[in-house]
Amino acid sequence: MEYHKPVLFDEVINNIITDEDAVYVDCTLGGGGHTEGILENSSESSKVVAIDQDVEAINFARKRLEKYGNKLQIFQDNFRNIDTIVYLAGFEKVDRILMDIGVSSNQLDNAKRGFSYRFEARLDMRMDNNLKISAYEIVNNFSEKEIADIIYKYGEEPKSRKIAKKIVEYRKTKKIETTTELADIVIKSIGKSMKRHPAKRTFQAIRIFVNKELEILSETLDKAVKLLNKKGKLLVITFHSLEDRVVKEKFREYENPCTCPSDIPICVCNKQSLGKIITKKPIVAKELELEENNRAHSAKLRIFERSE
């Protein structure tokens, strides 16, 4: 099992660490890269709470980080339960929260999980095996319109209708069982003449839908911002435009929640600003990192700070 240095590592550490004793939450432990950076650079009495729903990742990170002892607490859960986890860790409020929304390359590359069009595996894509609907159900049981809508909405795939039509045609003769079968169907429906793999958007769309990623992101951001102490910071790294849009819109709403019509001179809704957006433009990877890590190309870091 191998984990790479996390994307935007230096940028995260520079923006998340405070000299004071603080409580940090890393919502996406993964291989433990960001968590280790926080443990290493934070004050002696600071505490770190880390969350991941992947048992393999937790076992790997627990071993890697055991030297930090009780400075670190790890919870196996979905980060949408961040409020409960913080409470169970013994805190009411925290000072720093990091969410790295990229699916770990380790999960994507794990052939058995059925996330990748590069390896043959049973179609699944569930990050949590208790979820009812997997990729298999979608491609074999959903209607052509439902499939087209998912691929268009969550994959921003302009040829979603063509792909859905081909999927439904194909499954009349046999069930679509594997990742490579699905990837081949996509290639047959839209051709191969593009820089990225033709199935990339379709696989992304189905994965996001299966795991309810955008809904969970939105819900978690709302909980996270409320958990922050004054001057607390929320840092979020996204890897594609749909997630980045959710974060950008949420941050705007937190900064200016007023819902009054623009033509009335004073605010009557009385919704208070929760703080300010620190990054007017998102922080992106530097040249060197882009050369070393392909995933860094789409990474964007946005930061919000709670008001006094």
Side-chain angles (χ1 to χ4, degrees):
M1 187 159 182
E2 185 199 353
Y3 281 93
H4 311 292
K5 184 178 175 182
V7 168
L8 296 173
F9 178 82
D10 297 336
E11 290 79 357
V12 165
I13 298 306
N14 291 341
N15 283 286
I16 204 168
I17 296 297
T18 165
D19 295 338
E20 294 151 24
D21 292 343
V23 180
Y24 297 83
V25 180
D26 185 349
C27 294
T28 36
L29 172 66
H34 283 132
T35 308
E36 182 162 41
I38 295 166
L39 288 161
E40 195 57 49
N41 291 284
S42 56
S43 68
E44 210 45 50
S45 305
S46 287
K47 299 288 183 197
V48 181
V49 176
I51 308 166
D52 208 295
Q53 53 185 358
D54 188 336
V55 183
E56 282 181 25
I58 287 177
N59 292 340
F60 176 87
R62 187 165 270 142
K63 209 168 171 155
R64 172 180 177 174
L65 305 171
E66 64 189 351
K67 65 179 177 197
Y68 296 99
N70 63 5
K71 188 175 178 180
L72 171 68
Q73 296 184 64
I74 298 176
F75 292 84
Q76 191 204 341
D77 206 335
N78 187 304
F79 60 37
R80 76 191 305 173
N81 301 318
I82 182 171
D83 46 354
T84 312
I85 293 159
V86 165
Y87 173 75
L88 290 172
F91 305 106
E92 269 185 44
K93 297 266 185 182
V94 301
D95 304 291
R96 299 285 188 268
I97 297 174
L98 171 65
M99 296 168 68
D100 174 349
I101 310 298
V103 181
S104 84
S105 44
N106 201 68
Q107 275 185 324
L108 291 178
D109 294 345
N110 181 338
K112 296 196 294 285
R113 304 290 283 269
F115 284 111
S116 179
Y117 40 79
R118 294 202 303 264
F119 307 108
E120 176 144 27
R122 183 180 157 77
L123 261 182
D124 192 325
M125 300 199 206
R126 290 173 301 172
M127 290 184 199
D128 170 358
N129 294 329
N130 300 317
L131 291 171
K132 301 258 188 307
I133 292 175
S134 74
Y136 178 87
E137 274 76 43
I138 293 170
V139 298
N140 287 299
N141 302 335
F142 280 33
S143 71
E144 185 176 323
K145 184 185 184 313
E146 285 170 326
I147 296 170
D149 287 350
I150 288 169
I151 297 171
Y152 184 72
K153 182 178 176 185
Y154 297 110
E156 300 180 292
E157 170 55 80
K159 295 176 177 166
S160 58
R161 287 210 176 112
K162 270 186 171 171
I163 295 166
K165 190 168 189 272
K166 200 62 142 180
I167 286 172
V168 171
E169 244 168 59
Y170 185 95
R171 75 187 190 193
K172 281 178 188 155
T173 47
K174 80 173 277 303
K175 293 271 190 204
I176 302 165
E177 308 264 351
T178 66
T179 47
T180 41
E181 262 181 292
L182 178 59
D184 288 343
I185 294 166
V186 176
I187 290 168
K188 286 194 179 99
S189 42
I190 63 173
K192 229 181 169 172
S193 60
M194 45 174 73
K195 274 197 299 214
R196 68 175 91 190
H197 191 289
K200 185 175 181 177
R201 287 174 170 156
T202 299
F203 272 67
Q204 171 194 300
I206 294 172
R207 190 199 82 220
I208 290 173
F209 180 83
V210 163
N211 295 291
K212 301 189 171 69
E213 290 174 36
L214 297 183
E215 294 89 328
I216 289 173
L217 172 58
S218 186
E219 187 186 315
T220 309
L221 290 168
D222 286 346
K223 288 179 175 178
V225 78
K226 289 189 184 113
L227 284 169
L228 287 172
N229 277 317
K230 288 168 185 168
K231 304 292 278 179
K233 283 183 185 173
L234 171 58
L235 292 80
V236 188
I237 301 173
T238 57
F239 287 86
H240 58 73
S241 54
L242 291 171
E243 290 166 342
D244 184 53
R245 196 177 306 146
V246 171
V247 176
K248 192 162 78 174
E249 283 167 7
K250 279 286 174 193
F251 280 12
R252 276 195 197 135
E253 188 189 307
Y254 302 151
E255 187 174 67
N256 179 18
C258 174
T259 50
C260 297
S262 53
D263 53 358
I264 65 167
I266 53 162
C267 168
V268 290
C269 74
N270 291 325
K271 290 187 175 163
Q272 298 294 314
S273 170
L274 295 175
K276 61 180 181 192
I277 299 166
I278 300 292
T279 45
K280 292 301 171 202
K281 282 204 169 111
I283 296 169
V284 294
K286 297 193 177 74
E287 267 320 299
L288 181 66
E289 185 175 4
L290 293 174
E291 282 165 28
E292 288 173 1
N293 185 351
N294 199 28
R295 291 182 76 230
H297 283 270
S298 52
K300 289 179 176 168
L301 168 62
R302 293 185 185 271
I303 304 170
F304 186 85
E305 184 180 270
R306 274 304 304 249
S307 43
E308 294 282 339

